[in-house]
Every structure is written in C-alpha cells, then in structure tokens.
Amino acid sequence: MQVLVITGTGTEVGKTVTTAAVAASALAAGRSVAVLKAAQTGVGPDERGDADEVVRLAGPVTTAELARFPEPLAPGTAARRAGMAPVRPSEVAEAAAKLAAEHDLVLIEGAGGLLVRFDEAGGTLADAAQLLNAPVLVVATAGLGTLNTTELTARELRSRDLEPAGVVIGSWPDAPDLASRCNVADLPEVAGAPLLGALPAGAAALAPADFRAAAPGWLAPRLDGTWDAEAFRMREAP
C-alpha cells in the first residue's frame, strides 16, 4: 500500500489525529511518508492547518496542501464563496502520484466525509481515490450512530469498486458507554472491513514525543502498529 486515502464518517471524528498516528507509525517502521491535504477550509493564510498538526504530532513528514479556503465549509462551497478556484479530484490524484514517486507512503486526508464536494461538478474524495485506485481508511466515532454512517461510507466505497482498508475509531473515551463497547464488535461487521485501531480521547494533547512513542500501540499491524483488535474487543466487551 503506497497511497492511503483517509476519510471520516463526518466532521470532527479524528481524521487529522488518525492521519498523524498512521504517519508516526510508518516513520517508526522506517518508511518515508508524505501527507497531502486536498483542501483545507476554515483557516487563514498564516494559520496552522491540518498538515501542520500532523507534522507537529508525527514528526518529519513531507506535506502538501492543494488549496486553502477561509470559511469552515465544504471545499466546493468555500471555494465558491471566496471566489477562488476549487480543488478537483484529478489535481488530488496528480499530486498524490508525484509524492508517491518519492515516498514509501502517501496519506491523503479528506475534508469532512467521503462525498463532501470539492467543486461545482460534484467531484469528491471518492473520485480522487478511484483515479488512484487507492484503498480508503474510514475514521469513525465510537458511540451511538456510528454504525449507520460507517456502513453508508463502506457501501459507497464498494459501489465504486474501492477497497475499504479498514476502520479506525478516532477517539476512544476513557469511560466508554454500552453503545461504544458494543460497537467494537459491530463496526467491522457493518463495514465489511477490519477494525484497525482505536485512538484514545485526547491523543492530540499529548506531547509530540509521547504521541510518537504511543502511536504504534493504537494501530493494527497493517498500519505499522502493534494493536491487537481481538484483545481490545475482549477487554471492552459488555
């Protein structure tokens, strides 16, 4: 796997911290990593964006950001309101391919969910993944409601002949409720893809050195980690 697309089941589900954890684990495994932020919204020209946060947490990764729009909206809407050119799926795919020529792993972080629109033609992150024929990692929430949004995302991927690489829980609570604990078993079933990790709530608040040391323990071996899905499921079983 040289290019991995990272999407979420919605906004604020932990995509950026998951991207950072995957990057940190790959770096620890000796791989060179690039992170591509297709479209950054809600951030001014001189403010830190998601790619900057990945570098802060994960360490020395190459970053690229194709466009930045000031309002915290879907990229297509934000581009239109700012009078700026939108990002198109073909541009995302082209940039990722160039990074892949020089790195062992390229992580593409989307904005919001899989079908958030990039441009006036309705182009999405899913279209970029199709152009690259890249697997897609789905970041999901832990609690009530996550099964529906995760299954819808996985079904959309399969309808496009894209591979759901797996699911990562973007923020696992310190005191998980019944729904969260049941979802550990149910998420891989509804996604038809393995559960590949669970990041602890507040992971982004860790000191960078602590984050990098801990990241492999949050992710399964397929993501260069040591996390054991079965042991986690048994521990959290209701």
Side-chain angles (χ1 to χ4, degrees):
M1 170 170 54
Q2 190 172 14
V3 177
L4 178 64
V5 175
I6 300 179
T7 192
T9 54
T11 59
E12 304 299 324
V13 298
K15 287 191 306 297
T16 299
V17 69
T18 298
T19 301
V22 174
S25 296
L27 288 172
R31 306 173 72 189
S32 60
V33 181
V35 173
L36 173 62
K37 181 68 179 182
Q40 176 70 65
T41 64
V43 175
D46 299 320
E47 295 180 300
R48 292 173 58 83
D50 292 342
D52 299 307
E53 178 68 355
V54 171
V55 172
R56 183 185 74 83
L57 291 170
V61 302
T62 300
T63 61
E65 186 183 276
L66 295 187
R68 176 173 288 209
F69 308 114
E71 295 180 315
L73 302 168
T77 305
R80 184 181 71 248
R81 285 179 53 84
M84 299 170 66
V87 173
R88 303 194 186 280
S90 60
E91 295 171 332
V92 178
E94 181 180 358
K98 288 180 179 178
L99 290 169
E102 299 178 349
H103 297 83
D104 299 323
L105 177 65
V106 178
L107 304 174
I108 305 174
E109 184 186 346
L114 182 67
L115 297 183
V116 168
R117 295 191 173 199
F118 283 172
D119 58 26
E120 71 282 356
T124 67
L125 185 66
D127 295 315
Q130 281 185 291
L131 291 170
L132 291 160
N133 194 28
V136 180
L137 183 67
V138 179
V139 182
T141 57
L144 200 62
T146 194
L147 299 181
N148 181 61
T149 53
T150 300
E151 183 166 1
L152 287 172
T153 300
R155 285 190 181 192
E156 178 63 25
L157 289 171
R158 288 196 172 85
S159 76
R160 295 168 176 260
D161 293 323
L162 288 168
E163 175 197 354
V167 179
V168 169
I169 297 171
S171 180
W172 183 253
D174 295 332
D177 61 13
L178 178 61
S180 297
R181 289 181 285 127
C182 289
N183 287 341
V184 172
D186 292 340
L187 275 168
E189 181 177 344
V190 301
L195 189 62
L196 294 181
L199 276 62
L206 292 173
D210 294 334
F211 183 94
R212 295 166 197 173
W218 303 330
L219 300 171
R222 186 173 181 185
L223 297 175
D224 295 308
T226 60
W227 185 78
D228 186 333
E230 182 62 21
F232 185 81
R233 187 184 70 79
M234 294 299 293
R235 190 188 77 197
E236 301 296 342

